[in-house]
Amino acid sequence: MAGKILVFVDLPDGELDETGRGLLSYGSRLAGILGSPWEVVTPIVCSGEQMAGFGAYGVPAITRVDGGSLLDTPALLGQTLAALAAANGATLFVLPHNALGATLAPVIAATLDAAILTEIVTASHDADGLRIARQALGGRVAETKVWDGSRPLVVTVPTRCLSQVLMPTVRPSTPAVETWRPAAMPAEAAARVTGRIPPDPQTVDLTEAEVIFSAGKGCDAVTFDMLKELCRLLNVSFGVTRPVYDLGWTGFERMVGQTGRTVTPRFYLALGISGSMHHVGGIKDSRRIVAVNNDAKAPIFPNADEGFVADLKEVLPHLLARAKSAIGGAP
C-alpha cells in the first residue's frame, strides 16, 4: 500500500537522544506493519558512534540532506525534505512532535500536497489501510483516521509515545549512507533562527518539563520551601497538587493533575502526595515515577515505579545537603 517511509532524526547537540532512538524503533515497527521499505533522513553529518546507534535499530539507509545551515531555516528545510520525499517516492513521512518536527510537518505536507495528522498515539493496519489515532478533547476521546495510501501522509508522534526499547525482531545493520542535495534550492526563507535558548526548568511549561519534583499536602510550609530550593539547585521543575495550589503557595501553572497540567516527564518525584485519581491521571504517562510518603497505604505507591515510606522532614534536609555538597556549597 505504502511507498518508502522516511523518518526524520535531527540529532540535537550531535547526539542520537532518546527521541531519536524512539523514532528509529517507531519507524522500524511501522515498516513492519506496512511491509514497506524505510530509511532515515537527517540534516547532520553522522559520526561513527552515531552510525553504530542507527545500526543497532536496523536502519537500512541514511540520507543526509545537504543545503547549508538548513536547521536555522525550518521553512527551507521543510521544502527540501519534501523534495527528497518526492524524489525517493516516499509516501509516509514521520517526525517527532517537538518544536522542530511540529514546524516542519505542515511545510512538508503543504509542499507535497499531502495529508497530515499530528500527535498520533497508535497505528495499526487492516484491510482499509493504515489506521492511526490521536487523543482529542484533552485526552477524553480518540480521533481515528484511515490512510489508504492514495496520497502522501505526514505524521508527527509525541515524544512521550516514543519508546527506545529494541524490539527482539530487529536485526542490527550497517546503514548505507547517501548525501542528497536538491537540484535547485528553495527560495530564501522569510524567517531564520538567530539563536537557541535552553528552557529554564524553573519557568518552563510543565508539559514540556523533563524532570519534575512535586509537593503534595504531606508538605508543610518549611518542607515546601526546601523542595523549591532543591529544585533550584538541581535545575529541575517543581509542581504541586490541587490541595497545595489551594493553599496559595504557587500559581495554577504549577498544578499537576487532570484539572491542571497533564505531564509526561522522564522522571517524576512525588513528595508527600497521596495519589488521588485526578493526580495520577495527570502523571501516568511519566516514564518513571518515584514516590515518598509517610503513609505506607497511600494510593500513590501502586502507581509508582519505586516508593519509599519516609518523613519528608527527615528526607528533604538530607537531599538538600547532598545537592549542596555536589555543587560545592550553596550558591
Side-chain angles (χ1 to χ4, degrees):
M1 182 189 76
K4 183 179 291 184
I5 300 171
L6 290 183
V7 178
F8 177 76
V9 178
D10 62 337
L11 297 169
D13 299 323
E15 296 183 0
L16 183 60
D17 61 0
E18 289 185 13
T19 296
R21 291 191 291 270
L23 279 169
L24 299 183
S25 183
Y26 199 90
S28 174
R29 191 173 72 84
L30 265 183
I33 290 174
L34 295 172
S36 301
W38 73 292
E39 66 179 57
V40 166
V41 56
T42 178
I44 303 293
V45 177
C46 298
S47 66
E49 182 179 352
Q50 292 161 351
M51 292 295 295
F54 285 119
Y57 285 84
V59 175
I62 300 171
T63 298
R64 183 217 165 208
V65 290
D66 180 16
S69 55
L70 286 173
L71 282 171
D72 291 337
T73 52
L76 295 186
L77 177 57
Q79 294 175 49
T80 303
L81 293 173
L84 171 66
N88 282 9
T91 55
L92 179 56
F93 215 117
V94 182
L95 303 102
H97 195 83
N98 53 20
L100 180 59
T103 301
L104 295 174
V107 177
I108 297 170
T111 307
L112 290 175
D113 191 24
I116 181 172
L117 192 66
T118 58
E119 299 184 78
I120 65 170
V121 295
T122 63
S124 60
H125 187 229
D126 59 23
D128 295 326
L130 181 65
R131 192 172 294 272
I132 48 181
R134 65 177 179 179
Q135 295 178 333
L137 298 177
R140 293 178 177 84
V141 299
E143 177 187 14
T144 301
K145 304 283 187 181
V146 176
W147 178 55
D148 62 7
S150 59
R151 62 191 297 190
L153 173 66
V154 179
V155 298
T156 64
V157 186
T159 55
R160 70 175 186 278
C161 296
L162 295 170
S163 170
Q164 57 182 325
V165 174
L166 271 169
M167 301 298 290
T169 54
V170 172
R171 296 289 177 267
S173 66
T174 302
V177 180
E178 179 185 5
T179 298
W180 185 85
R181 185 182 180 88
M185 288 300 295
E188 186 64 25
R192 176 180 294 275
V193 177
T194 58
R196 293 176 173 82
I197 303 172
D200 181 356
Q202 306 303 309
T203 58
V204 70
D205 190 317
L206 285 179
T207 59
E208 304 291 334
E210 293 284 318
V211 179
I212 301 174
F213 291 0
S214 273
K217 63 181 179 181
C219 287
D220 57 19
V222 174
T223 51
F224 182 72
D225 286 341
M226 289 182 179
L227 170 61
K228 291 181 67 176
E229 184 179 4
L230 182 65
C231 290
R232 182 175 59 82
L233 291 173
L234 298 180
N235 207 25
V236 303
S237 301
F238 85 94
V240 299
T241 60
R242 180 87 204 195
V244 175
Y245 164 71
D246 288 340
L247 289 170
W249 291 354
T250 190
F252 181 77
E253 73 280 0
R254 295 285 116 186
M255 193 178 87
V256 177
Q258 288 181 320
T259 55
R261 294 287 193 273
T262 297
V263 299
T264 57
R266 288 189 294 108
F267 181 79
Y268 187 83
L269 179 60
L271 296 167
I273 294 175
S274 61
S276 70
M277 178 179 64
H278 294 294
H279 186 78
V280 171
I283 66 171
K284 62 181 176 59
D285 289 327
S286 302
R287 292 195 180 176
R288 185 168 184 81
I289 300 173
V290 174
V292 181
N293 200 295
N294 60 5
D295 180 4
K297 297 182 179 178
I300 189 70
F301 287 127
N303 295 288
D305 298 290
E306 196 170 5
F308 299 90
V309 178
D311 188 339
L312 294 181
K313 293 179 181 177
E314 297 178 1
V315 171
L316 277 169
H318 283 297
L319 290 177
L320 266 178
R322 291 288 298 272
K324 290 177 180 177
S325 175
I327 63 174

